[in-house]
Each structure stands twice: as C-alpha cells, then as structure tokens.
C-alpha cells in the first residue's frame, strides 16, 4: 500500500470510528453491531423527543436578542438571522417526524448520526452570528448580554443533544469557537478573561456530554 493510500485509509477509518461510535467514552464498545445500531436509534430518538423543548427555548432567546438589539442599523441583519433560525428549527422538528411516519426507527446507521451532527453544526453557526456581528458595535452592557446568550445557548443545546455526542460536540464548537476567537482578538484583559472562562465552560460542557452519554449507554 502506497503512503498516500495508507493515509487515506487511516483517515477513512478514523471518520468511520467517529461517526459510528455510540458514545464518547467507549463503554458500549463490547456491544455487537446490531446492538449498537439499536442503541444508536434509541439515542437519536431521545434527542428528537427533546426537540420541541429546545426549539421553544431557542425561540424565546432569539426573540429577546431581537428586542434588545432592534434598531435601524440592524433592521436588515436581525430579520435575516431570525428567519434562518426559524427555518432551521422547523426543519429540525419536521424532518425526523416525517421519517418516523414512513417507518418507525428501530435501528440507525452512522449516517443518521452524521446528518444530525451536520444540522447541529448549522444551528451552532447561526447562533454565533449575532454575537460575532453585533459585539464590536454595541455598549458594554449589551456585550455582557451577548456573551451570556452564547453561553446559555451552548449549554442548553449541547445538553439537549448530549445523547448523540458527536452532534453535541460539534454544536458547542461551532457556536463557541467564533465567539472565543472574537473575544481573544479584542486584546483587552477583560475579554481575554472572558475567553478563558468560555473555554473552561466549553470543556465542562464536553465532559458533561460524555458522562451523560455513558450513563445512558450503561443503562
């Protein structure tokens, strides 16, 4: 096998392991493939069942952002952002339920995890947009609100998605990474401190997600 072919094979195996792994800590690794498929379906279904609650919380949060920051300067950005969030939320709620009507989910492949994770990444990026776009131009008090919104959205979304740990991890990274990068580029001690706190908070979220997935799999 040529070196470049070996590298491609290694990357392919790593990708398959990432998407196919039932939970992050590996305590379910002794399950057979059919058992892992059934467990994966249960994990995805548990997340789908929590979706309405997550969407209600999202709607409340982004309407608060709209109300706080509505002005002539942002009257184009905020409606576009709100519309994108609503469309993503509606798709999130409708798509799995349409699949269930066609055929109840008894087993799930790694592709199902991949689809959920990609959508979670999209949701995370949408959430990061107002924080990154509005932060440089608003007053200090409003900046505190934006950081609080980012932290709350990251925690709530990741914990809702926790049973599909890939989706929770990618969601938190997609949301927090742009926010932390923006804070660090400000160069001021206060914002560097906030970035450090945000990074620690993100680490705590990841550990909590992994532990919750492990407990579900063990049960």
């Amino acid at each position: 096998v040529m070196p470049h072919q070996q590298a491609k094979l290694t990357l392919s195996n790593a990708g398959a392991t990432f998407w196919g792994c039932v939970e992050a800590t590996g305590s379910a690794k002794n399950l057979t493939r059919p058992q892992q498929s059934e467990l994966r379906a249960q994990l995805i279904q548990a997340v789908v069942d929590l979706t309405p609650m997550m969407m209600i919380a999202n709607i409340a949060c982004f309407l608060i952002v709209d109300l706080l920051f509505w002005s002539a300067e942002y009257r184009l950005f905020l409606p576009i952002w709100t519309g994108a969030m609503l469309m993503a939320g509606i798709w999130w709620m409708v798509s799995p339920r349409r699949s269930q009507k066609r055929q109840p989910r008894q087993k799930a492949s790694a592709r199902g995890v991949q689809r959920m994770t990609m959508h979670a990444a999209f949701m995370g990026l949408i959430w990061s947009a107002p924080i990154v776009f509005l932060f440089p131009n608003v007053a200090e008090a409003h900046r505190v609100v934006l950081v609080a919104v980012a932290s709350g959205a990251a925690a709530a979304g990741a914990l809702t998605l926790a049973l599909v740990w890939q989706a929770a991890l990618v969601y938190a990274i997609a949301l927090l990474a742009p926010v932390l990068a923006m804070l660090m580029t400000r160069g001021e001690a206060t914002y560097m401190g906030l970035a450090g706190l945000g990074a620690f908070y993100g680490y705590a979220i990841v550990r909590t997600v992994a532990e919750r997935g492990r407990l579900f799999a063990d049960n």
Side-chain angles (χ1 to χ4, degrees):
V1 179
M2 298 296 290
H4 70 279
Q5 293 176 323
Q6 183 65 45
K8 287 178 66 176
L9 184 61
T10 301
L11 288 174
S12 177
N13 289 338
T17 299
F18 178 81
W19 296 118
C21 187
V22 177
E23 43 84 26
T25 57
S27 62
K29 62 184 178 181
N30 294 325
L31 296 177
T32 64
R33 286 185 179 273
Q35 288 173 329
Q36 289 185 17
S37 181
E38 291 173 5
L39 177 57
R40 193 180 293 118
Q42 293 175 26
L43 297 172
I44 292 174
Q45 184 59 50
V47 172
V48 170
D49 291 341
L50 289 173
T51 295
M53 181 185 69
M54 181 178 72
M55 286 300 108
I56 290 172
N58 272 327
I59 291 170
C61 287
F62 69 70
L63 286 179
I64 289 171
V65 172
D66 284 343
L67 289 172
L68 284 175
F69 293 93
W70 185 264
S71 66
E73 185 178 1
Y74 303 123
R75 64 185 177 186
L76 179 61
F77 169 77
L78 288 174
I80 292 174
W81 171 68
T82 302
M85 182 66 79
L86 283 171
M87 289 175 62
I90 290 171
W91 185 90
W92 184 285
M93 288 190 293
V94 170
S95 181
R97 299 180 192 287
R98 289 177 62 184
S99 300
Q100 288 171 355
K101 287 181 180 179
R102 290 195 299 267
Q103 184 177 0
R105 185 186 294 274
Q106 301 297 327
K107 296 183 179 181
S109 67
R111 184 170 295 181
V113 172
Q114 191 173 14
R115 283 196 299 268
M116 179 170 281
T117 302
M118 292 300 100
H119 190 78
F122 183 57
M123 292 289 288
L125 289 173
I126 292 176
W127 257 123
S128 72
I131 290 89
V132 174
F133 184 82
L134 300 174
F135 192 93
N137 304 312
V138 297
E140 292 292 330
H142 282 173
R143 289 178 177 178
V144 172
V145 172
L146 287 172
V147 173
V149 166
S151 301
L159 291 177
T160 301
L161 296 165
L163 296 180
V164 181
W165 67 271
Q166 296 93 331
L169 176 63
V170 170
Y171 171 84
I173 291 173
L175 198 164
L176 289 177
V179 176
L180 296 181
M182 178 201 60
L183 288 172
M184 288 188 290
T185 56
R186 303 295 294 180
E188 300 175 28
T190 300
Y191 297 126
M192 294 294 288
L194 282 175
L197 287 173
F200 179 78
Y201 190 50
Y203 171 76
I205 290 172
V206 170
R207 289 299 302 269
T208 301
V209 165
E211 182 63 16
R212 187 178 177 194
R214 183 189 67 81
L215 290 173
F216 188 98
D218 288 346
N219 291 331

